[in-house]
Amino acid sequence: MRRIVLWLGLVLLATPQAHAEAPLSPRDYQRLLGVGVDVDWAKTPRAMRYYSREQARAFKEIGFDHVRIRVREAATPELLDHLERVVGDALALGLTPVVAYKAERFKEDPSPQNRDRVVAWWRAVAGRFRGYPPELSFDLIIEVTDRLNREPGKLLDLYRRTLAEVRKTNPTRIVFVSPRLRSAPEYLHELNPLFERDPYLMAEWHFYASGPSKHNPKKKWTTGTPEEKRRILDKIALARAWQHATGGSTWVGAWMPGNYNKGDDYAVSEQVAFATFTSCALKAAGIPFAVNQANKFYDDEAGRWREAMLPVVEAVVRPRCP
């Protein structure tokens, strides 16, 4: 009998659900995150097919500290099994995993039915990861867009309902909420009511998620003029001011060194310049970030880095700051 009891104890210690580690505070988690990258390892069937632990290992070895694991598919048993594999690999390799949900239907149509689908998705995911180490966190919605931009009340309602479900199984896990208008820091203050009752809540905001532009005045970057640099610094200042006013902690969940999805006409040297300034500015502010996105730097099908993009990765991970 004694041997059986000992064996059962060893089995329980070997399972993720058996962890009874002390929770991480938002401030501690902010320091833990460091430099990360947005990954699609659990986003699409194709990405899931090409995912391997070796790919995750490559990102850890090159210098990334965390991965924002973006998910779009329904929370089927198959999806949850794969997601558990990805999260487990990240934890084993020392990559801090952040599970992030796209919630596309709710953004396009913030109806009660679509809201309930998001809540149900997180109920399933939170239940699967109950008891996992505190390094794992949840990012409730990826970039508030479409009709949801004009519905701040419905966004807060979604967050309240989803948090209530997540807290049933993960009472002390770090959870991220993001403001409307593409997670703009100008709207962080609208999230304040959520932070009054949840000590394990953090805010995710971002800018340049689809990269800079040579023409759009709102995100223009050419040679790094004082005005172009000031535009970046002003966004960071908004987040720091919110942190100071509320005592909350933030993380930038996405910024892109080039306009990869809209022209891709920045030379590598131009991307390095933009990445260096942005990385250094965020590091100086003490705000961690994830760069968008992994497949622009790593060829998952071939299982190797895109050589031409390595200078950009270096500027993100180890920027030469003045």
Side-chain angles (χ1 to χ4, degrees):
M1 177 63 71
R2 189 174 180 179
R3 289 183 179 178
I4 294 174
V5 171
L6 178 61
W7 177 80
L8 286 173
L10 290 173
V11 169
L12 287 172
L13 286 172
T15 62
Q17 287 78 4
H19 284 267
E21 301 174 43
L24 290 167
S25 70
R27 191 62 54 86
D28 288 340
Y29 201 77
Q30 187 183 50
R31 287 192 287 262
L32 175 70
L33 282 169
V35 177
V37 60
D38 286 1
V39 299
D40 291 347
W41 300 339
K43 181 181 174 183
T44 65
R46 180 203 173 278
M48 288 187 270
R49 185 167 65 252
Y50 284 112
Y51 170 75
S52 70
R53 177 180 278 210
E54 291 309 307
Q55 185 176 167
R57 190 189 308 279
F59 279 86
K60 176 62 179 178
E61 290 179 348
I62 209 167
F64 285 102
D65 303 302
H66 74 268
V67 283
R68 188 187 192 210
I69 305 165
R70 302 186 295 188
V71 189
R72 185 175 64 190
E73 303 296 323
T76 62
E78 293 76 19
L79 183 278
L80 293 174
D81 287 346
H82 179 81
L83 188 56
E84 199 167 11
R85 174 190 170 198
V86 173
V87 168
D89 286 349
L91 289 169
L93 292 167
L95 282 169
T96 299
V98 183
V99 173
Y101 184 45
K102 287 189 70 68
E104 291 168 316
R105 293 174 69 177
F106 182 70
K107 288 185 284 190
E108 295 167 358
D109 175 19
S111 65
Q113 294 80 7
N114 286 334
R115 176 202 65 203
D116 292 345
R117 289 188 179 99
V118 176
V119 174
W121 193 92
W122 276 112
R123 182 188 303 119
V125 171
R128 176 62 72 98
F129 289 105
R130 180 176 189 166
Y132 263 66
E135 287 79 8
L136 168 65
S137 63
F138 298 151
D139 185 6
L140 296 187
I141 189 168
I142 297 176
E143 194 176 63
V144 179
T145 58
D146 302 311
R147 283 181 56 189
L148 190 54
N149 272 336
R150 303 186 296 275
E151 301 281 2
K154 291 183 179 180
L155 180 62
L156 283 179
D157 179 57
L158 171 78
Y159 286 150
R160 288 192 181 99
R161 292 172 184 267
T162 307
L163 282 168
E165 286 299 321
V166 169
R167 292 306 181 211
K168 290 177 182 178
T169 53
N170 295 259
T172 61
R173 187 168 306 287
I174 295 296
V175 175
F176 290 97
V177 291
S178 59
R180 63 190 174 102
L181 208 64
R182 297 189 179 275
S183 305
E186 290 89 339
Y187 295 95
L188 281 167
H189 66 277
E190 294 183 350
L191 305 176
N192 287 1
L194 300 171
F195 285 79
E196 295 171 0
R197 298 182 179 181
D198 196 322
Y200 296 101
L201 204 58
M202 290 181 65
E204 186 278 322
W205 63 277
H206 58 242
F207 57 177
Y208 300 90
S210 58
S213 169
K214 295 184 178 181
H215 309 290
N216 186 339
K218 293 183 179 180
K219 54 178 185 175
K220 190 172 183 179
W221 178 276
T222 54
T223 59
T225 66
E227 181 182 1
E228 291 165 354
K229 291 179 178 179
R230 175 53 51 190
R231 192 174 294 114
I232 293 171
L233 295 175
D234 285 348
K235 295 284 187 181
I236 295 173
L238 287 170
R240 293 192 70 190
W242 180 84
Q243 290 185 153
H244 180 74
T246 64
S249 300
T250 72
W251 160 64
V252 172
W255 64 269
M256 187 177 281
N259 59 340
Y260 307 136
N261 304 328
K262 297 183 178 181
D264 197 11
D265 58 356
Y266 281 89
V268 167
S269 59
E270 293 175 308
Q271 294 176 50
V272 168
F274 179 76
T276 298
F277 182 80
T278 305
S279 297
C280 290
L282 287 166
K283 284 175 179 284
I287 297 177
F289 60 83
V291 69
N292 192 19
Q293 60 194 17
N295 61 15
K296 301 300 179 183
F297 314 119
Y298 187 90
D299 185 336
D300 58 357
E301 186 172 353
R304 61 171 178 262
W305 292 100
R306 302 184 191 278
E307 290 289 334
M309 296 299 289
L310 286 176
V312 182
V313 174
E314 185 71 14
V316 170
V317 176
R318 286 173 290 273
R320 297 182 179 180
C321 303

